[in-house]
Amino acid sequence: GESVGLHLPTLSVQEGDNSIINCAYSNSASDYFIWYKQESGKGPQFIIDIRSNMDKRQGQRVTVLLNKTVKHLSLQIAATQPGDSAVYFCAENLAGGSNYKLTFGKGTLLTVNP
Amino acid sequence: NAGVTQTPKFQVLKTGQSMTLQCAQDMNHNSMYWYRQDPGMGLRLIYYSASEGTTDKGEVPNGYNVSRLNKREFSLRLESAAPSQTSVYFCASSEAGGRAEQFFGPGTRLTVL
């Protein structure tokens, strides 16, 4: 079946740089997307979400971009800090399916070097 | 507020043993979820409870049962544990539906020998 995937399994950046984490999805019926951050030994933590009627959404230091044409999602983190080091997951929800069923990607490990 | 709490934090079982993972939330959320996370994998939904009194299967329900005891508590039971159930289990809750922020507990690390 179709599933959410990631372009890069690991990403290493310098403190203060901007980070871009990518996610490809193959199910064109998905219309809701969400990003989670998971620090080592902890449960995932919500970052930001976006619906398919939007191309961009901004939060505090984070921006999510959605390109429906190429089925691509990205998470941009501005001025990356050591505390941003974690695994980042994207997840999708299918339009017309259960609102409760999120399909998660495998994750990208972000390492921030001081 | 404690948020979402899970017990136990760690557990080792032998094949065939049974156990119940406990989860409670103090945010008055309607919906609760159980996920498993295997190494190098994203989370996979086992069961969810949209509201008190209802439960539904997720992506990987086989070998598990759940009980929504009340609005606060949602337990996951392994009747006869198998090595394939070795994983980290996360409970989560949300105000209403999956299209909303889910708050996750700290996880239970389960090993089945």
Side-chain angles (χ1 to χ4, degrees):
Chain A
E2 297 178 340
S3 63
V4 175
L6 294 170
H7 290 307
L8 297 174
T10 61
L11 179 64
S12 183
V13 301
Q14 291 298 124
E15 181 178 358
D17 287 352
N18 296 334
S19 302
I20 300 176
I21 301 169
N22 295 304
C23 179
Y25 66 96
S26 56
N27 196 328
S28 56
S30 294
D31 68 345
Y32 174 80
F33 305 88
I34 191 165
W35 282 97
Y36 280 90
K37 170 187 179 183
Q38 186 176 26
E39 296 176 48
S40 181
K42 295 185 178 180
Q45 184 178 13
F46 171 86
I47 303 173
I48 194 167
D49 60 359
I50 188 167
R51 297 179 189 273
S52 61
N53 60 352
M54 303 172 70
D55 296 324
K56 178 180 179 179
R57 192 168 187 216
Q58 289 184 289
Q60 189 177 8
R61 277 201 309 119
V62 295
T63 301
V64 56
L65 299 177
L66 176 62
N67 185 330
K68 295 180 285 293
T69 302
V70 295
K71 297 177 196 164
H72 184 266
L73 192 68
S74 68
L75 177 71
Q76 300 179 359
I77 305 174
T80 314
Q81 302 167 1
D84 295 326
S85 293
V87 176
Y88 289 80
F89 294 97
C90 62
E92 64 178 332
N93 182 249
L94 294 178
S98 168
N99 282 353
Y100 301 90
K101 294 184 177 179
L102 291 177
T103 300
F104 283 80
K106 291 183 171 57
T108 292
L109 174 62
L110 174 66
T111 302
V112 182
N113 302 309
Chain B
N1 288 347
V4 179
T5 57
Q6 293 182 236
T7 55
K9 285 186 166 49
F10 301 93
Q11 184 71 49
V12 178
L13 294 177
K14 294 181 180 178
T15 297
Q17 287 185 316
S18 62
M19 80 160 295
T20 300
L21 281 65
Q22 305 288 351
C23 173
Q25 53 91 10
D26 62 2
M27 295 173 282
N28 201 36
H29 284 168
N30 288 309
S31 306
M32 297 185 74
Y33 313 81
W34 276 106
Y35 292 90
R36 61 177 288 174
Q37 184 176 34
D38 299 306
M41 300 283 288
L43 291 91
R44 290 184 293 170
L45 182 64
I46 305 171
Y47 270 95
Y48 66 96
S49 171
S51 60
E52 187 179 355
T54 69
T55 61
D56 284 285
K57 295 178 180 179
E59 182 185 351
V60 288
N62 290 346
Y64 305 96
N65 285 303
V66 291
S67 295
R68 183 74 183 266
L69 304 170
N70 47 55
K71 192 171 186 179
R72 287 187 65 246
E73 299 172 287
F74 189 37
S75 63
L76 178 72
R77 183 159 177 84
L78 286 71
E79 291 291 351
S80 179
S84 61
Q85 295 179 304
T86 294
S87 190
V88 181
Y89 291 84
F90 289 99
C91 177
S93 70
S94 67
E95 199 169 289
R99 295 187 172 208
E101 178 178 355
Q102 292 186 24
F103 293 80
F104 284 80
T108 294
R109 187 172 295 274
L110 175 67
T111 301
V112 183
L113 302 175

